[in-house]
Amino acid sequence: MVGEKHRLSPIEISQEEFRSLGYQLIDTLADFYNSFDDLPVTTGETPKQIQSLLGTDSLPDSGMPVSELLKSTSDLLVKHSLLNGHPKFFGYITSSPTQIGALADLLAAAVNPNVGANILSPVATAIEKQTVKWLAEFIGVSSTYGGLLVSGGNMANFTGFLAARTAKAPKSLKEDGLANTTEKMVFYCSKATHTWIEKAAVLFGHGTKAIRWIPIRDDNKMNTQVLEQTIKDDITNGYSPFLVVGNAGDVSTGVVDDLSEIARICKENQLWFHIDGAYGMPAAAIPQCKAMFHGFQDADSIALDPHKWLYAPLEAGCTLVKNPQHLTDTFSAHPVYYNFDHNADEPNLNFYEYGLQNSRGFRALKVWLALKQVGRAAYLNTIREDITLAELLFAEAKKHPELEAVSQNLSITTLRYVPINHGADESGQESFLNALNEKLLNRLQEGGEVFLSNALISEKYCLRACIVNYRTSEKDIRETIEIIVREGRKVLSGL
Ligand SMILES: Cc1ncc(COP(=O)(O)O)c(C=O)c1O
């Protein structure tokens, strides 16, 4: 009742019940983390089968006991999810999530700071600020870089894209809009760039024709000679280039573009240099990879995703900008109903002024805690081990008479199944191999022993393993080779 001293709400859980439910849930999760070796990566159930687990009931009118709900829901999730924490999960770029991240998300949700404004989240804002600073330190860019946590790679790249546009577009753009600017703004990226760039072109009003897709060379890096020439031609033809995107670990093969060459071209043409390092950027800190990333410190903005190669649970991306004023210039607004700046003995950092979100959750906590739990040295070691395992997969595929090792960069290896005595160069054979490997991938994904994804490399349909998984061991890699070959033979005999 509202009039009671302590209002009785159907939402609130009593202290004792919360304690006991929490213990039970943690017990379930402790067992879950320990059970990956006995569970399939995925059950391969169809959407229909999964739907039938939920039933077709309408929205319930009255509630249920929480204990029952948590028990049945944890059961549902543990038994029917794809487990990206499984040691043989190598699909796309989703990491085996840190356990401290799961606890951090619980803590963050319980305290529930709104990290849009400093006054609403004094400690959380300070922690996010420190997290961003540490991420910049981790990869090794100057301390001028600032930024914020976002939901992932798409948002991190969008944020950099919009900061670039504010910095380089005519100052009237904000008032007049793109449609009324006389400038025909264009931007550049390699053909290997992730699909976020198309979304940005569409959503932010440029249209996909404003994307200049630069071809890649045989080594999958952007052809920077073509880039330079295309920029020249565009300027001659009355276009206004404003941004070049370099990949630091492209989504398909993990290739890092020639960043120093892109930085030079950007400098000479006064263009914004953005790096999509959503996946690969943490590897810039590994001594053996440093040369590959040469030039990244010249970037005006960098996207990097803790939920990829820093193993944060979803969602955690980050945008770093060399001069964060460009973020405020892009996103800041001061409505009368915000009373966020009074009594500050130093200028406040209100994260709503740095990005697309207004109310913001406390994503930084899981990243900050993991950085503190693990420390830089052990993080670097783990990332390096992931690379070593990807190299092992490539080497084992190369040795195997029924496999073709196709590419290996950072922690991504691509390979395909090629039956013995198969004339891969004969006409028609390539399309046969593509069909075979596509079928094989589907079979592997449904089978649940190992989870790979695919990449199309020089028209070859390849199986792709991306190892951002601190649970994977050499044994998993060797078993993966055996599984691919065993299942490859079965698919072949069925064709
Ligand atoms: C290089 C790169 N950029 C951007 C993205 C998009 O990231 P997200 O799915 O977190 O939005 C990905 C996803 O794999 C990626 O590999």
Side-chain angles (χ1 to χ4, degrees), residues 173-220:
L173 183 76
K174 271 194 177 176
E175 288 75 36
D176 294 341
L178 264 187
N180 296 316
T181 172
T182 49
E183 301 216 354
K184 293 188 281 181
M185 299 179 74
V186 288
F187 44 97
Y188 305 79
C189 63
S190 93
K191 285 197 164 152
T193 303
H194 186 275
T195 179
W196 72 263
I197 193 84
E198 283 157 307
K199 251 191 197 174
V202 173
L203 293 176
F204 304 133
H206 295 269
T208 51
K209 285 185 188 158
I211 309 174
R212 300 294 191 249
W213 293 104
I214 306 301
I216 48 179
R217 306 183 311 219
D218 287 348
D219 59 5
N220 284 328

mmCIF file of all heavy atoms in Angstrom, residues 173-220:
data_model
loop_
_atom_site.group_PDB
_atom_site.id
_atom_site.type_symbol
_atom_site.label_atom_id
_atom_site.label_comp_id
_atom_site.label_asym_id
_atom_site.label_seq_id
_atom_site.Cartn_x
_atom_site.Cartn_y
_atom_site.Cartn_z
ATOM 1 N N LEU A 173 26.740 23.284 -41.966
ATOM 2 C CA LEU A 173 26.056 21.983 -42.127
ATOM 3 C C LEU A 173 24.986 21.750 -41.052
ATOM 4 O O LEU A 173 23.894 21.263 -41.336
ATOM 5 C CB LEU A 173 27.076 20.838 -42.102
ATOM 6 C CG LEU A 173 26.478 19.459 -42.328
ATOM 7 C CD1 LEU A 173 26.143 19.239 -43.798
ATOM 8 C CD2 LEU A 173 27.407 18.352 -41.845
ATOM 9 N N LYS A 174 25.326 22.125 -39.818
ATOM 10 C CA LYS A 174 24.384 21.860 -38.713
ATOM 11 C C LYS A 174 23.033 22.542 -38.971
ATOM 12 O O LYS A 174 21.992 21.959 -38.723
ATOM 13 C CB LYS A 174 24.961 22.356 -37.380
ATOM 14 C CG LYS A 174 25.780 21.303 -36.678
ATOM 15 C CD LYS A 174 26.045 21.692 -35.237
ATOM 16 C CE LYS A 174 26.804 20.575 -34.545
ATOM 17 N NZ LYS A 174 27.193 20.892 -33.176
ATOM 18 N N GLU A 175 23.078 23.770 -39.426
ATOM 19 C CA GLU A 175 21.826 24.505 -39.647
ATOM 20 C C GLU A 175 21.181 24.119 -40.973
ATOM 21 O O GLU A 175 19.964 23.912 -41.056
ATOM 22 C CB GLU A 175 22.065 26.028 -39.658
ATOM 23 C CG GLU A 175 22.378 26.629 -38.301
ATOM 24 C CD GLU A 175 23.795 26.314 -37.848
ATOM 25 O OE1 GLU A 175 24.702 26.279 -38.709
ATOM 26 O OE2 GLU A 175 23.989 26.067 -36.640
ATOM 27 N N ASP A 176 21.983 24.012 -42.009
ATOM 28 C CA ASP A 176 21.414 23.856 -43.356
ATOM 29 C C ASP A 176 21.111 22.408 -43.726
ATOM 30 O O ASP A 176 20.286 22.148 -44.593
ATOM 31 C CB ASP A 176 22.374 24.450 -44.404
ATOM 32 C CG ASP A 176 22.480 25.960 -44.240
ATOM 33 O OD1 ASP A 176 21.572 26.537 -43.606
ATOM 34 O OD2 ASP A 176 23.463 26.543 -44.721
ATOM 35 N N GLY A 177 21.831 21.482 -43.114
ATOM 36 C CA GLY A 177 21.642 20.067 -43.464
ATOM 37 C C GLY A 177 22.384 19.720 -44.746
ATOM 38 O O GLY A 177 22.759 20.602 -45.520
ATOM 39 N N LEU A 178 22.582 18.432 -44.943
ATOM 40 C CA LEU A 178 23.356 17.969 -46.106
ATOM 41 C C LEU A 178 22.721 18.398 -47.424
ATOM 42 O O LEU A 178 23.405 18.756 -48.376
ATOM 43 C CB LEU A 178 23.423 16.442 -46.099
ATOM 44 C CG LEU A 178 24.645 15.765 -45.503
ATOM 45 C CD1 LEU A 178 24.560 14.267 -45.764
ATOM 46 C CD2 LEU A 178 25.941 16.327 -46.065
ATOM 47 N N ALA A 179 21.383 18.354 -47.465
ATOM 48 C CA ALA A 179 20.691 18.623 -48.723
ATOM 49 C C ALA A 179 20.972 20.031 -49.228
ATOM 50 O O ALA A 179 20.938 20.287 -50.425
ATOM 51 C CB ALA A 179 19.192 18.418 -48.540
ATOM 52 N N ASN A 180 21.262 20.952 -48.280
ATOM 53 C CA ASN A 180 21.441 22.343 -48.695
ATOM 54 C C ASN A 180 22.903 22.779 -48.749
ATOM 55 O O ASN A 180 23.179 23.960 -48.924
ATOM 56 C CB ASN A 180 20.666 23.271 -47.755
ATOM 57 C CG ASN A 180 19.182 22.998 -47.870
ATOM 58 O OD1 ASN A 180 18.672 22.854 -48.971
ATOM 59 N ND2 ASN A 180 18.507 22.883 -46.749
ATOM 60 N N THR A 181 23.809 21.826 -48.535
ATOM 61 C CA THR A 181 25.206 22.228 -48.667
ATOM 62 C C THR A 181 25.610 22.056 -50.135
ATOM 63 O O THR A 181 25.169 21.134 -50.814
ATOM 64 C CB THR A 181 26.152 21.447 -47.717
ATOM 65 O OG1 THR A 181 27.478 21.769 -48.064
ATOM 66 C CG2 THR A 181 25.985 19.972 -47.813
ATOM 67 N N THR A 182 26.455 22.936 -50.584
ATOM 68 C CA THR A 182 26.860 22.860 -51.994
ATOM 69 C C THR A 182 27.954 21.814 -52.181
ATOM 70 O O THR A 182 28.262 21.424 -53.285
ATOM 71 C CB THR A 182 27.399 24.219 -52.471
ATOM 72 O OG1 THR A 182 28.345 24.671 -51.508
ATOM 73 C CG2 THR A 182 26.275 25.219 -52.653
ATOM 74 N N GLU A 183 28.520 21.349 -51.057
ATOM 75 C CA GLU A 183 29.639 20.411 -51.169
ATOM 76 C C GLU A 183 29.142 18.984 -51.399
ATOM 77 O O GLU A 183 28.196 18.540 -50.755
ATOM 78 C CB GLU A 183 30.482 20.459 -49.897
ATOM 79 C CG GLU A 183 31.014 21.841 -49.642
ATOM 80 C CD GLU A 183 32.400 21.837 -49.036
ATOM 81 O OE1 GLU A 183 32.905 20.745 -48.717
ATOM 82 O OE2 GLU A 183 32.955 22.932 -48.891
ATOM 83 N N LYS A 184 29.794 18.299 -52.320
ATOM 84 C CA LYS A 184 29.460 16.880 -52.551
ATOM 85 C C LYS A 184 30.478 16.057 -51.760
ATOM 86 O O LYS A 184 31.563 15.760 -52.247
ATOM 87 C CB LYS A 184 29.547 16.565 -54.043
ATOM 88 C CG LYS A 184 28.462 17.299 -54.849
ATOM 89 C CD LYS A 184 28.430 16.841 -56.294
ATOM 90 C CE LYS A 184 29.536 17.504 -57.098
ATOM 91 N NZ LYS A 184 29.555 17.123 -58.529
ATOM 92 N N MET A 185 30.096 15.739 -50.517
ATOM 93 C CA MET A 185 31.061 15.109 -49.603
ATOM 94 C C MET A 185 31.213 13.614 -49.913
ATOM 95 O O MET A 185 30.222 12.910 -50.069
ATOM 96 C CB MET A 185 30.604 15.308 -48.156
ATOM 97 C CG MET A 185 30.519 16.779 -47.770
ATOM 98 S SD MET A 185 29.945 16.999 -46.093
ATOM 99 C CE MET A 185 31.400 16.503 -45.187
ATOM 100 N N VAL A 186 32.464 13.166 -49.988
ATOM 101 C CA VAL A 186 32.726 11.745 -50.263
ATOM 102 C C VAL A 186 33.767 11.209 -49.283
ATOM 103 O O VAL A 186 34.526 11.980 -48.695
ATOM 104 C CB VAL A 186 33.223 11.530 -51.724
ATOM 105 C CG1 VAL A 186 32.095 11.738 -52.719
ATOM 106 C CG2 VAL A 186 34.408 12.408 -52.051
ATOM 107 N N PHE A 187 33.777 9.889 -49.130
ATOM 108 C CA PHE A 187 34.728 9.274 -48.199
ATOM 109 C C PHE A 187 35.216 7.935 -48.742
ATOM 110 O O PHE A 187 34.607 7.352 -49.637
ATOM 111 C CB PHE A 187 34.115 9.142 -46.802
ATOM 112 C CG PHE A 187 32.705 8.647 -46.782
ATOM 113 C CD1 PHE A 187 32.435 7.299 -46.556
ATOM 114 C CD2 PHE A 187 31.632 9.507 -46.995
ATOM 115 C CE1 PHE A 187 31.141 6.829 -46.534
ATOM 116 C CE2 PHE A 187 30.324 9.031 -46.983
ATOM 117 C CZ PHE A 187 30.077 7.698 -46.756
ATOM 118 N N TYR A 188 36.298 7.442 -48.172
ATOM 119 C CA TYR A 188 37.085 6.369 -48.788
ATOM 120 C C TYR A 188 37.323 5.224 -47.807
ATOM 121 O O TYR A 188 37.602 5.464 -46.632
ATOM 122 C CB TYR A 188 38.453 6.938 -49.226
ATOM 123 C CG TYR A 188 38.299 8.133 -50.136
ATOM 124 C CD1 TYR A 188 38.010 9.389 -49.600
ATOM 125 C CD2 TYR A 188 38.375 7.997 -51.510
ATOM 126 C CE1 TYR A 188 37.809 10.483 -50.426
ATOM 127 C CE2 TYR A 188 38.174 9.086 -52.342
ATOM 128 C CZ TYR A 188 37.882 10.325 -51.793
ATOM 129 O OH TYR A 188 37.673 11.395 -52.613
ATOM 130 N N CYS A 189 37.242 4.006 -48.338
ATOM 131 C CA CYS A 189 37.575 2.845 -47.514
ATOM 132 C C CYS A 189 37.865 1.681 -48.458
ATOM 133 O O CYS A 189 37.495 1.731 -49.631
ATOM 134 C CB CYS A 189 36.417 2.484 -46.587
ATOM 135 S SG CYS A 189 34.947 1.988 -47.476
ATOM 136 N N SER A 190 38.505 0.666 -47.941
ATOM 137 C CA SER A 190 38.812 -0.480 -48.810
ATOM 138 C C SER A 190 37.562 -1.344 -48.971
ATOM 139 O O SER A 190 36.625 -1.272 -48.170
ATOM 140 C CB SER A 190 39.952 -1.311 -48.224
ATOM 141 O OG SER A 190 39.438 -2.357 -47.435
ATOM 142 N N LYS A 191 37.617 -2.174 -50.007
ATOM 143 C CA LYS A 191 36.474 -3.075 -50.265
ATOM 144 C C LYS A 191 36.271 -4.076 -49.135
ATOM 145 O O LYS A 191 35.234 -4.714 -49.055
ATOM 146 C CB LYS A 191 36.712 -3.821 -51.575
ATOM 147 C CG LYS A 191 36.480 -2.921 -52.758
ATOM 148 C CD LYS A 191 36.291 -3.677 -54.040
ATOM 149 C CE LYS A 191 35.693 -2.749 -55.073
ATOM 150 N NZ LYS A 191 36.043 -3.113 -56.435
ATOM 151 N N ALA A 192 37.294 -4.214 -48.277
ATOM 152 C CA ALA A 192 37.175 -5.189 -47.179
ATOM 153 C C ALA A 192 36.505 -4.591 -45.943
ATOM 154 O O ALA A 192 36.373 -5.271 -44.925
ATOM 155 C CB ALA A 192 38.562 -5.709 -46.811
ATOM 156 N N THR A 193 36.082 -3.342 -46.047
ATOM 157 C CA THR A 193 35.518 -2.671 -44.862
ATOM 158 C C THR A 193 34.166 -3.266 -44.457
ATOM 159 O O THR A 193 33.354 -3.626 -45.308
ATOM 160 C CB THR A 193 35.390 -1.151 -45.144
ATOM 161 O OG1 THR A 193 36.690 -0.683 -45.491
ATOM 162 C CG2 THR A 193 34.872 -0.385 -43.945
ATOM 163 N N HIS A 194 33.966 -3.341 -43.165
ATOM 164 C CA HIS A 194 32.726 -3.884 -42.587
ATOM 165 C C HIS A 194 31.510 -3.049 -43.036
ATOM 166 O O HIS A 194 31.632 -1.855 -43.319
ATOM 167 C CB HIS A 194 32.866 -3.848 -41.051
ATOM 168 C CG HIS A 194 31.749 -4.489 -40.312
ATOM 169 N ND1 HIS A 194 30.586 -3.832 -39.989
ATOM 170 C CD2 HIS A 194 31.612 -5.748 -39.821
ATOM 171 C CE1 HIS A 194 29.797 -4.636 -39.324
ATOM 172 N NE2 HIS A 194 30.390 -5.811 -39.205
ATOM 173 N N THR A 195 30.378 -3.686 -43.025
ATOM 174 C CA THR A 195 29.145 -3.067 -43.531
ATOM 175 C C THR A 195 28.672 -1.818 -42.759
ATOM 176 O O THR A 195 27.784 -1.101 -43.218
ATOM 177 C CB THR A 195 28.017 -4.132 -43.561
ATOM 178 O OG1 THR A 195 26.845 -3.529 -44.017
ATOM 179 C CG2 THR A 195 27.746 -4.706 -42.174
ATOM 180 N N TRP A 196 29.314 -1.499 -41.633
ATOM 181 C CA TRP A 196 28.905 -0.282 -40.903
ATOM 182 C C TRP A 196 28.996 0.934 -41.808
ATOM 183 O O TRP A 196 28.211 1.885 -41.652
ATOM 184 C CB TRP A 196 29.751 -0.069 -39.639
ATOM 185 C CG TRP A 196 31.180 0.371 -39.901
ATOM 186 C CD1 TRP A 196 32.279 -0.422 -39.953
ATOM 187 C CD2 TRP A 196 31.651 1.712 -40.137
ATOM 188 N NE1 TRP A 196 33.409 0.320 -40.210
ATOM 189 C CE2 TRP A 196 33.043 1.628 -40.327
ATOM 190 C CE3 TRP A 196 31.045 2.955 -40.206
ATOM 191 C CZ2 TRP A 196 33.845 2.742 -40.585
ATOM 192 C CZ3 TRP A 196 31.839 4.068 -40.470
ATOM 193 C CH2 TRP A 196 33.212 3.968 -40.661
ATOM 194 N N ILE A 197 29.948 0.930 -42.753
ATOM 195 C CA ILE A 197 30.182 2.118 -43.575
ATOM 196 C C ILE A 197 28.967 2.394 -44.470
ATOM 197 O O ILE A 197 28.611 3.548 -44.718
ATOM 198 C CB ILE A 197 31.497 1.979 -44.396
ATOM 199 C CG1 ILE A 197 31.920 3.326 -45.009
ATOM 200 C CG2 ILE A 197 31.417 0.937 -45.483
ATOM 201 C CD1 ILE A 197 32.692 4.202 -44.121
ATOM 202 N N GLU A 198 28.317 1.309 -44.921
ATOM 203 C CA GLU A 198 27.124 1.507 -45.747
ATOM 204 C C GLU A 198 25.968 2.050 -44.898
ATOM 205 O O GLU A 198 25.227 2.925 -45.323
ATOM 206 C CB GLU A 198 26.710 0.182 -46.399
ATOM 207 C CG GLU A 198 27.605 -0.153 -47.570
ATOM 208 C CD GLU A 198 27.606 -1.629 -47.884
ATOM 209 O OE1 GLU A 198 27.857 -2.428 -46.952
ATOM 210 O OE2 GLU A 198 27.374 -1.972 -49.043
ATOM 211 N N LYS A 199 25.869 1.489 -43.694
ATOM 212 C CA LYS A 199 24.819 1.982 -42.786
ATOM 213 C C LYS A 199 25.027 3.473 -42.512
ATOM 214 O O LYS A 199 24.086 4.257 -42.510
ATOM 215 C CB LYS A 199 24.906 1.225 -41.449
ATOM 216 C CG LYS A 199 23.772 0.256 -41.240
ATOM 217 C CD LYS A 199 23.772 -0.236 -39.795
ATOM 218 C CE LYS A 199 22.945 -1.481 -39.680
ATOM 219 N NZ LYS A 199 22.991 -2.097 -38.371
ATOM 220 N N ALA A 200 26.290 3.859 -42.276
ATOM 221 C CA ALA A 200 26.586 5.273 -41.988
ATOM 222 C C ALA A 200 26.201 6.133 -43.183
ATOM 223 O O ALA A 200 25.578 7.185 -43.030
ATOM 224 C CB ALA A 200 28.066 5.435 -41.655
ATOM 225 N N ALA A 201 26.564 5.667 -44.392
ATOM 226 C CA ALA A 201 26.268 6.447 -45.600
ATOM 227 C C ALA A 201 24.768 6.666 -45.745
ATOM 228 O O ALA A 201 24.306 7.755 -46.080
ATOM 229 C CB ALA A 201 26.826 5.730 -46.826
ATOM 230 N N VAL A 202 23.997 5.630 -45.448
ATOM 231 C CA VAL A 202 22.543 5.715 -45.604
ATOM 232 C C VAL A 202 21.936 6.552 -44.466
ATOM 233 O O VAL A 202 21.203 7.513 -44.696
ATOM 234 C CB VAL A 202 21.921 4.296 -45.613
ATOM 235 C CG1 VAL A 202 20.406 4.360 -45.608
ATOM 236 C CG2 VAL A 202 22.426 3.504 -46.819
ATOM 237 N N LEU A 203 22.291 6.187 -43.223
ATOM 238 C CA LEU A 203 21.632 6.821 -42.074
ATOM 239 C C LEU A 203 21.980 8.289 -41.921
ATOM 240 O O LEU A 203 21.158 9.085 -41.473
ATOM 241 C CB LEU A 203 22.014 6.087 -40.778
ATOM 242 C CG LEU A 203 21.506 4.661 -40.646
ATOM 243 C CD1 LEU A 203 22.037 4.024 -39.370
ATOM 244 C CD2 LEU A 203 19.985 4.646 -40.634
ATOM 245 N N PHE A 204 23.207 8.657 -42.294
ATOM 246 C CA PHE A 204 23.625 10.041 -42.069
ATOM 247 C C PHE A 204 23.476 10.904 -43.320
ATOM 248 O O PHE A 204 24.020 11.998 -43.402
ATOM 249 C CB PHE A 204 25.041 10.082 -41.481
ATOM 250 C CG PHE A 204 25.158 9.272 -40.207
ATOM 251 C CD1 PHE A 204 26.203 8.388 -39.997
ATOM 252 C CD2 PHE A 204 24.170 9.370 -39.218
ATOM 253 C CE1 PHE A 204 26.283 7.618 -38.834
ATOM 254 C CE2 PHE A 204 24.242 8.611 -38.056
ATOM 255 C CZ PHE A 204 25.292 7.731 -37.863
ATOM 256 N N GLY A 205 22.736 10.366 -44.298
ATOM 257 C CA GLY A 205 22.254 11.204 -45.391
ATOM 258 C C GLY A 205 23.176 11.382 -46.576
ATOM 259 O O GLY A 205 22.878 12.169 -47.471
ATOM 260 N N HIS A 206 24.301 10.657 -46.621
ATOM 261 C CA HIS A 206 25.221 10.832 -47.755
ATOM 262 C C HIS A 206 24.827 9.969 -48.941
ATOM 263 O O HIS A 206 25.067 10.339 -50.087
ATOM 264 C CB HIS A 206 26.660 10.477 -47.325
ATOM 265 C CG HIS A 206 27.200 11.397 -46.290
ATOM 266 N ND1 HIS A 206 27.905 12.529 -46.591
ATOM 267 C CD2 HIS A 206 27.100 11.371 -44.932
ATOM 268 C CE1 HIS A 206 28.227 13.159 -45.467
ATOM 269 N NE2 HIS A 206 27.751 12.467 -44.456
ATOM 270 N N GLY A 207 24.250 8.820 -48.646
ATOM 271 C CA GLY A 207 23.921 7.863 -49.709
ATOM 272 C C GLY A 207 25.137 7.004 -50.038
ATOM 273 O O GLY A 207 26.283 7.432 -49.868
ATOM 274 N N THR A 208 24.872 5.787 -50.477
ATOM 275 C CA THR A 208 25.990 4.851 -50.684
ATOM 276 C C THR A 208 26.898 5.256 -51.852
ATOM 277 O O THR A 208 28.037 4.819 -51.913
ATOM 278 C CB THR A 208 25.477 3.415 -50.929
ATOM 279 O OG1 THR A 208 24.481 3.461 -51.958
ATOM 280 C CG2 THR A 208 24.869 2.809 -49.685
ATOM 281 N N LYS A 209 26.397 6.135 -52.746
ATOM 282 C CA LYS A 209 27.273 6.567 -53.841
ATOM 283 C C LYS A 209 28.412 7.460 -53.342
ATOM 284 O O LYS A 209 29.380 7.695 -54.062
ATOM 285 C CB LYS A 209 26.457 7.326 -54.895
ATOM 286 C CG LYS A 209 25.595 6.432 -55.750
ATOM 287 C CD LYS A 209 24.921 7.247 -56.830
ATOM 288 C CE LYS A 209 23.910 6.407 -57.559
ATOM 289 N NZ LYS A 209 22.904 7.248 -58.221
ATOM 290 N N ALA A 210 28.277 7.968 -52.121
ATOM 291 C CA ALA A 210 29.351 8.808 -51.565
ATOM 292 C C ALA A 210 30.525 7.962 -51.071
ATOM 293 O O ALA A 210 31.576 8.495 -50.718
ATOM 294 C CB ALA A 210 28.798 9.651 -50.427
ATOM 295 N N ILE A 211 30.329 6.630 -51.020
ATOM 296 C CA ILE A 211 31.435 5.756 -50.583
ATOM 297 C C ILE A 211 32.335 5.478 -51.779
ATOM 298 O O ILE A 211 31.873 5.016 -52.822
ATOM 299 C CB ILE A 211 30.925 4.395 -50.048
ATOM 300 C CG1 ILE A 211 29.834 4.586 -48.998
ATOM 301 C CG2 ILE A 211 32.083 3.570 -49.502
ATOM 302 C CD1 ILE A 211 29.198 3.271 -48.533
ATOM 303 N N ARG A 212 33.589 5.752 -51.621
ATOM 304 C CA ARG A 212 34.571 5.384 -52.659
ATOM 305 C C ARG A 212 35.233 4.079 -52.200
ATOM 306 O O ARG A 212 36.061 4.092 -51.289
ATOM 307 C CB ARG A 212 35.630 6.478 -52.824
ATOM 308 C CG ARG A 212 35.059 7.830 -53.236
ATOM 309 C CD ARG A 212 34.466 7.730 -54.644
ATOM 310 N NE ARG A 212 34.150 9.018 -55.197
ATOM 311 C CZ ARG A 212 32.917 9.467 -55.414
ATOM 312 N NH1 ARG A 212 31.861 8.729 -55.076
ATOM 313 N NH2 ARG A 212 32.723 10.644 -55.953
ATOM 314 N N TRP A 213 34.805 2.986 -52.817
ATOM 315 C CA TRP A 213 35.341 1.667 -52.424
ATOM 316 C C TRP A 213 36.695 1.495 -53.100
ATOM 317 O O TRP A 213 36.765 1.370 -54.321
ATOM 318 C CB TRP A 213 34.416 0.546 -52.881
ATOM 319 C CG TRP A 213 33.083 0.529 -52.189
ATOM 320 C CD1 TRP A 213 31.895 0.947 -52.703
ATOM 321 C CD2 TRP A 213 32.799 0.045 -50.871
ATOM 322 N NE1 TRP A 213 30.885 0.764 -51.794
ATOM 323 C CE2 TRP A 213 31.400 0.210 -50.653
ATOM 324 C CE3 TRP A 213 33.576 -0.513 -49.839
ATOM 325 C CZ2 TRP A 213 30.781 -0.157 -49.469
ATOM 326 C CZ3 TRP A 213 32.942 -0.871 -48.666
ATOM 327 C CH2 TRP A 213 31.573 -0.696 -48.481
ATOM 328 N N ILE A 214 37.743 1.480 -52.350
ATOM 329 C CA ILE A 214 39.090 1.338 -52.930
ATOM 330 C C ILE A 214 39.428 -0.153 -53.010
ATOM 331 O O ILE A 214 39.261 -0.878 -52.018
ATOM 332 C CB ILE A 214 40.132 2.088 -52.058
ATOM 333 C CG1 ILE A 214 39.706 3.557 -51.856
ATOM 334 C CG2 ILE A 214 41.515 1.991 -52.680
ATOM 335 C CD1 ILE A 214 39.543 4.368 -53.130
ATOM 336 N N PRO A 215 39.911 -0.589 -54.175
ATOM 337 C CA PRO A 215 40.209 -2.031 -54.298
ATOM 338 C C PRO A 215 41.306 -2.476 -53.346
ATOM 339 O O PRO A 215 42.106 -1.656 -52.882
ATOM 340 C CB PRO A 215 40.665 -2.174 -55.757
ATOM 341 C CG PRO A 215 40.847 -0.813 -56.294
ATOM 342 C CD PRO A 215 40.184 0.163 -55.380
ATOM 343 N N ILE A 216 41.324 -3.772 -53.088
ATOM 344 C CA ILE A 216 42.394 -4.314 -52.243
ATOM 345 C C ILE A 216 43.436 -5.006 -53.118
ATOM 346 O O ILE A 216 43.135 -5.449 -54.220
ATOM 347 C CB ILE A 216 41.845 -5.283 -51.167
ATOM 348 C CG1 ILE A 216 40.865 -6.303 -51.793
ATOM 349 C CG2 ILE A 216 41.171 -4.546 -50.062
ATOM 350 C CD1 ILE A 216 40.311 -7.306 -50.800
ATOM 351 N N ARG A 217 44.658 -5.063 -52.600
ATOM 352 C CA ARG A 217 45.735 -5.732 -53.338
ATOM 353 C C ARG A 217 45.654 -7.237 -53.065
ATOM 354 O O ARG A 217 44.779 -7.702 -52.328
ATOM 355 C CB ARG A 217 47.101 -5.206 -52.855
ATOM 356 C CG ARG A 217 47.203 -3.690 -52.922
ATOM 357 C CD ARG A 217 48.582 -3.223 -52.516
ATOM 358 N NE ARG A 217 49.073 -3.814 -51.266
ATOM 359 C CZ ARG A 217 49.768 -3.153 -50.339
ATOM 360 N NH1 ARG A 217 50.023 -1.870 -50.506
ATOM 361 N NH2 ARG A 217 50.205 -3.762 -49.255
ATOM 362 N N ASP A 218 46.620 -7.978 -53.615
ATOM 363 C CA ASP A 218 46.608 -9.428 -53.403
ATOM 364 C C ASP A 218 46.712 -9.798 -51.924
ATOM 365 O O ASP A 218 46.223 -10.836 -51.493
ATOM 366 C CB ASP A 218 47.786 -10.085 -54.148
ATOM 367 C CG ASP A 218 47.520 -10.094 -55.639
ATOM 368 O OD1 ASP A 218 46.359 -9.815 -56.025
ATOM 369 O OD2 ASP A 218 48.470 -10.347 -56.403
ATOM 370 N N ASP A 219 47.393 -8.927 -51.147
ATOM 371 C CA ASP A 219 47.536 -9.227 -49.712
ATOM 372 C C ASP A 219 46.336 -8.728 -48.898
ATOM 373 O O ASP A 219 46.395 -8.682 -47.667
ATOM 374 C CB ASP A 219 48.845 -8.630 -49.167
ATOM 375 C CG ASP A 219 48.912 -7.109 -49.351
ATOM 376 O OD1 ASP A 219 47.907 -6.521 -49.819
ATOM 377 O OD2 ASP A 219 49.959 -6.525 -49.039
ATOM 378 N N ASN A 220 45.252 -8.346 -49.586
ATOM 379 C CA ASN A 220 43.992 -7.896 -48.959
ATOM 380 C C ASN A 220 44.061 -6.510 -48.325
ATOM 381 O O ASN A 220 43.111 -6.077 -47.670
ATOM 382 C CB ASN A 220 43.480 -8.899 -47.911
ATOM 383 C CG ASN A 220 42.850 -10.109 -48.574
ATOM 384 O OD1 ASN A 220 42.272 -10.001 -49.649
ATOM 385 N ND2 ASN A 220 42.992 -11.256 -47.937
#
